[in-house]
Amino acid sequence: MDTIKEHIEKVKSGEINLAEFEAEVLEKAARIQEKYAPFITIPDKISFSKNGALAGVPVAVKDNLCTKDMRTTAGSKILESYMPPFDATPVALSRSEGAGIIGKTAMDEFGFGTFSTNCAYGVPKNPFDQSRSCGGSSGGAACAVAAADFPIVSIAESTGGSITCPAAFTGTVGITPTYGLVSRWGLIDYANSLDKVGTIAKSVYDAALLLSTIAGRDEKDSTSLNIPKTDYTQFVGKDCKGMRIGIPKEYFSEAVDARIAKQVRKAADLLEGEGIVCEEVSLPSTDLAIPTYYIISMSEASTNLAKFSGLRYGLQVELEGSIQEYFSKVRTMGFGEEAKRRIILGTFMRMAGYRNKYYLKALKVRRKIINEFKSVFSNYDALLAPSMPILPPKFSEIEKLEPAQIYSMDVLTVAPNLAGMPTISMPFGTVDGLPVGVQLIADHLNEGKLIALASFIEAVK
């Protein structure tokens, strides 16, 4: 199979016939869907171009990013028939560089989950073992990349670890960029102050190439950062000798599978053998990250989901009784169990008398977590840690978990997401035939360092 780089070169030279390639990709996507179910919607046609940085590249898009005239559901029944009249900015930028949208990928409803089991349209299965989860909430985006035997990248999104988790579980590379680096215009929000659009791919180069395309200032998004456009592929293969890496001791607690921790230690040994300093560091507020994240994210989610009432778009039913009764009926029918749980909890935490006690206090703890990261990054270029505390679980195991146990699975990903800092997850070895992910975390706008380090590990492992 060609790499993305080789594929683009062949497309531009005319060696690959795009009409024939389109037919081949659609046929293969249908087969992948039948076996692993990574998609919610597959289009009848893919419009590739032979020009641009992504010429002829199939791009899968997480289903909470709007795609013009292609159904966008956010994994929820309440948006079952929603057909956006516009593309989200990251989608529009990909199309403008020659990419074609191969499909909309399965996800936990509105991003509410860790295993993609809360999707209203089917659950993606792990290509390593179909009885196991691909992770969430961008499970379908990672599954599509891992299962495909043709060049492909995915536009994904993370609120608390929804790129890192599925990348780790499927043996793919996932980049979660600095908050605001990629426009959120056209994203169906989970939590506005946390949501980040990123990339999932087969290699560090591929993930960096897609990030180079979709990152940049967008006047339509008030949270979009005004920084120069960057070609992140220039950092692939860059010399990393002399860099300093911190190993946060709190990320190796008893909750982390010892076999995963061992692989991460191997990665550290590999880096040290190549002249990179690796030292233990401390992030003492790590244990506060889970409650802080869920208070903030659920509070913001309950506000964001208030608009899904059957009034302007989405699920609509016959108007009977009062308008309040109508709204309740639509939301009862349209939202899944986990979405209802988070709306109720988030609304409670924003109520008069509780807002100061929970939400505002959580914002103060968030600032404390950011300051701890900043302090560490004053002495270190990046942090190295496990991506997830467990191997991809079986669906039969997930069914036995309580919601609080599932929330705790995000212990290694929510802190950098709360801080809005960039991370990259990449595969590093296997345990019992299942992929292990290691994550690198850096200070704001230091994606280049992460890509250089990840490509370094990728080359020498």
Side-chain angles (χ1 to χ4, degrees), residues 419-438:
M421 289 172 172
T423 67
I424 186 166
S425 178
M426 61 177 299
F428 191 86
T430 60
V431 171
D432 294 338
L434 298 171
V436 172
V438 298

Side-chain angles (χ1 to χ4, degrees), residues 273-330:
E274 297 292 333
I276 296 170
V277 175
C278 293
E279 296 176 343
E280 186 176 86
V281 298
S282 180
L283 295 167
S285 296
T286 296
D287 63 338
L288 301 177
I290 290 283
T292 301
Y293 167 76
Y294 278 102
I295 289 170
I296 294 172
S297 65
M298 288 183 184
S299 297
E300 294 183 12
S302 78
T303 302
N304 282 327
L305 269 62
K307 60 180 171 282
F308 300 113
S309 60
L311 188 62
R312 285 193 159 191
Y313 50 81
L315 179 66
Q316 296 180 337
V317 296
E318 186 177 347
L319 182 57
E320 295 177 337
S322 68
I323 196 70
Q324 288 83 4
E325 289 171 330
Y326 172 76
F327 288 166
S328 294
K329 185 176 181 180
V330 167

Side-chain angles (χ1 to χ4, degrees), residues 102-311:
I102 186 178
K104 305 300 294 294
T105 57
M107 58 177 286
D108 288 293
E109 184 177 12
F110 293 104
F112 301 156
T114 305
F115 303 117
S116 294
T117 50
N118 296 325
C119 181
Y121 303 93
V123 178
K125 304 174 183 66
N126 198 313
F128 281 82
D129 179 346
Q130 289 173 258
S131 70
R132 296 178 184 269
S133 169
C134 291
S137 63
S138 307
C143 178
V145 170
D149 63 350
F150 53 86
I152 181 176
V153 289
S154 285
I155 301 175
E157 176 274 334
S158 174
T159 307
S162 293
I163 291 174
T164 296
C165 171
F169 282 177
T170 60
T172 53
V173 175
I175 298 178
T176 305
T178 300
Y179 178 82
L181 185 68
V182 178
S183 173
R184 295 186 302 111
W185 193 79
L187 171 70
I188 299 172
D189 290 303
Y190 167 178
N192 303 54
S193 74
L194 293 164
D195 297 339
K196 295 165 287 296
V197 179
T199 66
I200 296 178
K202 293 181 184 293
S203 72
V204 175
Y205 178 91
D206 294 354
L209 177 63
L210 181 57
L211 181 64
S212 302
T213 303
I214 65 176
R217 174 67 178 160
D218 181 7
E219 296 297 334
K220 297 191 288 291
D221 176 10
S222 62
T223 64
S224 174
L225 299 175
N226 188 14
I227 60 171
K229 193 80 172 170
T230 302
D231 176 8
Y232 291 100
T233 63
Q234 68 179 307
F235 298 101
V236 175
K238 192 173 181 180
D239 187 12
C240 298
K241 288 180 180 175
M243 279 194 180
R244 293 171 55 82
I245 306 297
I247 313 290
K249 64 181 183 180
E250 291 82 4
Y251 285 49
F252 293 84
S253 69
E254 291 182 1
V256 178
D257 188 317
R259 298 169 297 176
I260 294 175
K262 185 178 179 180
Q263 287 298 117
V264 181
R265 299 289 186 191
K266 283 184 180 179
D269 291 342
L270 184 151
L271 290 171
E272 285 189 312
E274 297 292 333
I276 296 170
V277 175
C278 293
E279 296 176 343
E280 186 176 86
V281 298
S282 180
L283 295 167
S285 296
T286 296
D287 63 338
L288 301 177
I290 290 283
T292 301
Y293 167 76
Y294 278 102
I295 289 170
I296 294 172
S297 65
M298 288 183 184
S299 297
E300 294 183 12
S302 78
T303 302
N304 282 327
L305 269 62
K307 60 180 171 282
F308 300 113
S309 60
L311 188 62

Side-chain angles (χ1 to χ4, degrees), residues 37-107:
F39 298 105
I40 292 176
T41 302
I42 298 175
D44 295 325
K45 180 175 175 55
I46 307 172
S47 298
F48 292 118
S49 169
K50 65 181 299 182
N51 301 308
L54 295 175
V57 174
V59 175
V61 179
K62 187 174 181 178
D63 206 31
N64 57 352
L65 285 147
C66 288
T67 40
K68 185 177 181 181
D69 299 330
M70 190 184 300
R71 186 172 68 144
T72 301
T73 72
S76 178
K77 284 290 183 184
I78 209 161
L79 286 171
E80 185 172 14
S81 58
Y82 179 50
M83 298 285 281
F86 62 94
D87 280 331
T89 295
V91 176
L93 289 170
S94 298
R95 290 194 204 264
S96 70
E97 292 293 340
I101 307 306
I102 186 178
K104 305 300 294 294
T105 57
M107 58 177 286

